[in-house]
Amino acid sequence: FIWDWVDQTVLTTAQTEVETHIIDAKNQIEVTANGTFEEGRNGSKALKGNLEVPANSALNANAQGLTLDAYVKVDAGTSVSKDAAILSKGENGFNLKFDRNGDIEVFVNGWAGGTLVYDINASAYNDGNYHRFTATAEPSGSATLLKLYIDGTMVKSATISVSAPYDTNNYKLGVGTDPEISGRSFPGTIDSVRVVKRTWAPPGTAPVKSTRL
């Protein structure tokens, strides 16, 4: 299972800030994107705005490992100083996001079991270039080991008090937004988003076969 929004069928081309409808070809789930599709990495299209996937058990990972992966480009010169979601299933699901202090925060199966927080300098991401943010979760005894990678380099790990399986509940999935809490929009563009039901070790080096859902 790999959910990859760039691999879906775009029914309406967005040239200006409009509502765009995307169909998951396998499960026939309609997704709504708000914003614009702009030139992304390597000839792809990147989303400047947000996208929400309806809650559906067919899109839950329900797995012993989980990887959240996205290329992001923060608006040049912007220092993020508020909650800004990259990939989110809300406070009770998983999250890869900026927190209110501008740090990178990761959690799975809800924030109450613990989070990974990485103090990142704004100059590491607001240079007008795309940067790859990857978070992984894997069992560590009865707990979970989280790892955060930026541009392929692991920058922090943390052990939290939640157990596998991960992503078992039906929550909406937000790209560039938190589907539970308004105002947590991402200030920039997001490209090549993936939610994978296994842990990449290390992320991006092992081949990942993407199939149309």
Side-chain angles (χ1 to χ4, degrees):
F1 170 93
I2 297 178
W3 187 88
D4 184 349
W5 83 270
V6 298
D7 193 34
Q8 308 307 308
T9 304
V10 179
L11 299 184
T12 306
T13 301
Q15 301 298 334
T16 57
E17 189 164 346
V18 296
E19 182 176 280
T20 303
H21 298 277
I22 301 170
I23 297 294
D24 174 335
K26 178 180 178 180
N27 299 294
Q28 292 300 300
I29 298 170
E30 183 173 315
V31 178
T32 301
N34 294 286
T36 59
F37 288 99
E38 303 184 355
E39 290 303 316
R41 306 168 45 256
N42 303 324
S44 63
K45 291 295 183 182
L47 175 65
K48 186 174 180 64
N50 61 78
L51 178 151
E52 284 194 7
V53 182
N56 190 298
S57 60
L59 300 180
N60 295 344
N62 192 18
Q64 295 295 309
L66 188 69
T67 299
L68 310 176
D69 185 51
Y71 285 86
V72 301
K73 182 169 71 172
V74 175
D75 292 336
T78 298
S79 179
V80 181
S81 58
K82 69 178 185 68
D83 282 294
I86 299 171
L87 269 170
S88 173
K89 277 198 169 183
E91 297 290 273
N92 296 308
F94 60 67
N95 245 296
L96 170 60
K97 69 185 185 78
F98 285 88
D99 70 10
R100 68 187 64 182
N101 298 312
D103 301 327
I104 302 297
E105 184 176 13
V106 179
F107 56 84
V108 295
N109 293 4
W111 66 271
T115 69
L116 178 156
V117 178
Y118 175 64
D119 183 4
I120 187 171
N121 190 292
S123 63
Y125 62 76
N126 69 355
D127 56 1
N129 296 313
Y130 277 99
H131 295 281
R132 188 178 191 178
F133 288 72
T134 309
T136 65
E138 60 186 291
S140 178
S142 60
T144 288
L145 177 64
L146 296 178
K147 296 179 182 179
L148 175 67
Y149 300 77
I150 298 178
D151 293 329
T153 299
M154 192 181 79
V155 295
K156 190 166 184 180
S157 64
T159 300
I160 61 172
S161 300
V162 301
S163 57
Y166 309 116
D167 187 32
T168 59
N169 295 318
N170 287 350
Y171 299 122
K172 291 181 179 180
L173 170 64
V175 177
T177 187
D178 186 318
E180 286 188 350
I181 302 174
S182 62
R184 294 186 172 182
S185 56
F186 180 77
T189 53
I190 302 178
D191 196 357
S192 303
V193 169
R194 292 177 175 88
V195 178
V196 185
K197 67 172 186 180
R198 64 181 177 86
T199 302
W200 295 358
T205 59
V208 178
K209 182 180 179 181
S210 295
T211 57
R212 188 179 298 277
L213 295 178

